[in-house]
Amino acid sequence: MRRISRRSFVQAGAMTAGALGSVSLAPGTWLAFAGPASEKGYFETQFGITDSVCRRLLEAALSKGGDFADLYFEHTISNYLGLEDGEVNRASTDVDLGVGIRTVRGDQVGYAFTQDLTEKSMLAAASVAATIADSAAGSCAPQFVKVQTGNYYPVKTLFAAVPVSTKLPVVQSVNDKIFSKSKLVTKVSCTFHDQQKRILVVTSDGHKGEDLLPRSFLYATAVGEKDGRKETAGWNLGGRRDFSYYTEDLVDRLVSEVISRLLQAFEAVQAPAGEMPVVLAPGVTGILLHEAIGHGMEADFNRKKVSTYSTMIGKKVAEPFVTIIDDGTNEKQVGSINIDDEGVPSQRTVLVDQGILATYLHDRISAKHYKVKPTGNGRRESYRYYPLPRMRNTYMLNGPATPDEVIRKAGNGIYVEDVANGQVKIGEGDFAFYVSRGRMIENGRLTAPIKDMNIMGNGPKMLLNVTMVANDLKMSEGGAGACGKYGQAVPVSFGLPTILVNSMTVGGVRRQGAQS
């Protein structure tokens, strides 16, 4: 990543420094593509990226043929603030600027990027991308039409306009309040991360879209000690939000959650092992849906016949009360996007409709292969990478049951509240996840807290084995979540109502029913 210090960045010139100035915006007014076609956008104003420059770059990318080409400009400012042992001991600002140029021929991609936004350097990158083809030159649209989209994360004040001195009291308050809540706490770490990412996507078929994507989170970890035993608990809150989100009430919520998790860890008993009913709590356990099932519905895995779902369109994959959504339009969720990284407007996509697999998650390449429209899932980590079909906010809709009914139906099993460190085989769908927090279910009631166990299974089989869905859908409220694929990490979110999986393999330390 091209990273320079804030001081060096400010000294680099007035054009760049203007991006760090104090800016206050009314909600929605920053969307450059919402204006008339002649209105200048951020990249034209700040870096001289005019339509004529874009057309020359696209013509160079198609100079040896190719079906399609696009440009992806990015300017990202990221700030990090860390507190440990009562002192702020880490602070940094990273700046990233560049363009990625892609030429597509069939399902093959030629790709190059440059951090130098001079026309000479960009034309050289376009010529490299063009080498994927070897035929007569392709054509570029004579003019570009701005993409019209929603505004799912309005920004009042840019993070670049918020000084470190304003953020410091937030992390200090988290530290002080966690220590004040419990005498068991021996150490606190707190981090505040914020980012503003501007993108411009221009395509050879005549589309142009700009976006500003905020992202931030406040993360706290507490270490406690009791009778010679140490436990650690952490939590984060955030999303596509500006600084106004981080109020005193928000800090109190974060602190209460961290302390609750820490105290529960001290009470946790040994988990059972074996095959048993598993209830997934609402919210963050949706990561299991994302990892074990969602990846198998990304269209590139199906186009290549890697996924179990590659022949399942129109077929039953779950019970009729199961509907699964991937949505880029949820307000302020970290996986939400106004446009994807191919310039396609975001949308809500129904993957599983009342138990039937309805569609896959498509980028432009897979959509052309399947002769359908892109679903707005072409995403990339940065301008250094070309886009792939990726999830956004993935969740299951509410079902007809209540949470209490689900737990009673489970009888005896485990209730999973949080999972981490998962491994998934995309093709087969086999998975294993570490359960960091949960409870026993005994005679249809939640009882003792448990931790430090694994749950294992097969994603498609687990989906078929969901026998009850409650009416309490909850989305993850964190901002730190990112999904990895082929070396690229993109921000995502997930959600789930309380669900019952009739049988799963639980790897605990004692067999169910045995004495600990």
Side-chain angles (χ1 to χ4, degrees):
M1 181 175 287
R2 185 190 184 197
R3 294 178 173 175
I4 59 179
S5 69
R6 185 182 182 91
R7 176 176 295 179
S8 299
F9 182 63
V10 172
Q11 291 175 344
M15 185 165 61
T16 306
L20 289 170
S22 178
V23 182
S24 181
L25 303 173
T29 59
W30 51 265
L31 289 174
F33 47 77
S38 59
E39 182 181 329
K40 290 185 178 181
Y42 175 81
F43 283 88
E44 181 173 354
T45 301
Q46 299 296 323
F47 303 106
I49 307 300
T50 63
D51 283 3
S52 59
V53 169
C54 291
R55 190 171 298 105
R56 287 193 291 273
L57 296 177
L58 290 167
E59 287 171 350
L62 293 171
S63 60
K64 296 181 182 298
D67 307 322
F68 174 82
D70 59 12
L71 314 172
Y72 177 88
F73 295 90
E74 175 193 346
H75 182 205
T76 299
I77 304 171
S78 301
N79 298 296
Y80 174 87
L81 189 65
L83 177 147
E84 194 167 2
D85 298 326
E87 296 182 354
V88 174
N89 55 6
R90 291 157 293 162
S92 65
T93 295
D94 295 335
V95 178
D96 210 11
L97 176 66
V99 61
I101 303 176
R102 177 177 65 157
T103 303
V104 178
R105 182 184 183 188
D107 60 359
Q108 302 298 306
V109 173
Y111 196 74
F113 69 86
T114 178
Q115 299 167 312
D116 182 359
L117 297 191
T118 61
E119 188 166 347
K120 178 180 178 181
S121 180
M122 292 189 292
L123 283 171
S127 297
V128 172
T131 58
I132 190 69
D134 186 19
S135 60
S139 60
C140 176
Q143 61 182 10
F144 304 113
V145 178
K146 292 193 175 183
V147 178
Q148 301 296 314
T149 79
N151 181 8
Y152 307 116
Y153 30 85
V155 177
K156 293 182 179 179
T157 304
L158 301 182
F159 271 112
V162 181
V164 172
S165 60
T166 303
K167 301 171 189 175
L168 282 173
V170 177
V171 294
Q172 190 67 57
S173 178
V174 171
N175 175 83
D176 297 346
K177 288 187 175 185
I178 289 179
F179 272 113
S180 71
K181 291 287 186 180
S182 175
K183 294 181 179 180
L184 299 180
V185 176
T186 60
K187 185 181 181 69
V188 173
S189 300
C190 181
T191 61
F192 187 88
H193 179 271
D194 64 75
Q195 182 183 88
Q196 60 184 53
K197 180 177 184 177
R198 295 182 184 267
I199 65 169
L200 166 65
V201 184
V202 187
T203 67
S204 61
D205 58 0
H207 294 92
K208 178 180 180 180
E210 285 194 70
D211 199 5
L212 184 150
L213 297 96
R215 182 190 180 191
S216 61
F217 60 85
L218 181 64
Y219 187 91
T221 303
V223 179
E225 185 170 355
K226 180 181 181 182
D227 300 328
R229 173 182 168 190
K230 288 187 177 181
E231 295 289 351
T232 302
W235 195 241
N236 85 93
L237 292 169
R240 295 213 182 278
R241 301 178 180 274
D242 61 19
F243 189 70
S244 64
Y245 175 66
Y246 298 96
T247 63
E248 197 69 20
D249 288 342
L250 187 281
V251 169
D252 289 340
R253 282 183 58 205
L254 178 64
V255 168
S256 295
E257 183 67 27
V258 171
I259 291 295
S260 173
R261 287 168 171 261
L262 182 64
L263 297 181
Q264 182 172 324
F266 280 111
E267 299 172 2
V269 301
Q270 294 177 331
E275 292 285 330
M276 66 191 73
V278 172
V279 174
L280 300 181
V284 71
T285 57
I287 191 174
L288 207 85
L289 179 72
H290 168 103
E291 294 287 359
I293 296 165
H295 278 297
M297 296 179 182
E298 291 170 335
D300 53 343
F301 291 129
N302 291 280
R303 177 171 55 84
K304 298 171 184 177
K305 308 300 181 184
V306 172
S307 171
T308 303
Y309 295 111
S310 60
T311 61
M312 295 296 288
I313 291 290
K315 297 181 181 179
K316 178 181 177 179
V317 294
E319 294 301 320
F321 47 78
V322 173
T323 294
I324 299 174
I325 307 293
D326 184 82
D327 197 346
T329 69
N330 303 94
E331 186 174 353
K332 299 179 181 178
Q333 284 288 324
V334 72
S336 295
I337 50 177
N338 289 321
I339 55 172
D340 74 0
D341 296 332
E342 298 181 303
V344 177
S346 194
Q347 66 178 57
R348 179 180 184 270
T349 303
V350 179
L351 291 169
V352 177
D353 189 3
Q354 298 181 24
I356 305 300
L357 183 60
T359 189
Y360 303 130
L361 299 176
H362 290 287
D363 63 358
R364 286 178 178 266
I365 292 175
S366 67
K368 184 177 180 180
H369 174 85
Y370 283 99
K371 297 180 173 59
V372 297
K373 292 182 178 180
T375 55
N377 288 88
R379 304 188 66 194
R380 65 182 99 194
E381 178 178 327
S382 75
Y383 63 87
R384 293 172 178 79
Y385 304 90
Y386 58 82
L388 301 166
R390 306 294 299 272
M391 284 174 276
R392 298 161 300 188
N393 306 306
T394 310
Y395 53 95
M396 185 182 295
L397 292 186
N398 282 328
T402 67
D404 288 343
E405 288 171 342
V406 173
I407 293 167
R408 283 198 299 270
K409 182 68 174 179
N412 295 288
I414 66 167
Y415 180 79
V416 176
E417 294 176 290
D418 204 352
V419 294
N421 301 328
Q423 294 182 338
V424 181
K425 293 182 179 179
I426 299 300
E428 300 89 340
D430 295 332
F431 66 85
F433 280 90
Y434 172 75
V435 178
S436 56
R437 185 170 178 253
R439 289 188 176 272
M440 291 292 300
I441 303 175
E442 298 175 289
N443 298 317
R445 297 179 61 191
L446 296 180
T447 58
I450 52 178
K451 67 183 185 70
D452 298 339
M453 79 202 92
N454 292 306
I455 52 175
M456 294 156 279
N458 175 271
K461 289 180 180 178
M462 183 188 83
L463 189 57
L464 282 167
N465 212 13
V466 173
T467 55
M468 289 187 78
V469 178
N471 56 5
D472 60 341
L473 169 64
K474 181 181 178 182
M475 296 297 294
S476 170
E477 295 183 272
C483 171
K485 179 177 177 180
Y486 295 146
Q488 295 192 51
V490 297
V492 296
S493 189
F494 29 77
L496 201 68
T498 300
I499 67 170
L500 171 61
V501 183
N502 199 46
S503 180
M504 290 181 69
T505 301
V506 178
V509 297
R510 59 184 172 91
R511 297 185 64 82
Q512 190 175 29
Q515 296 296 317
S516 61

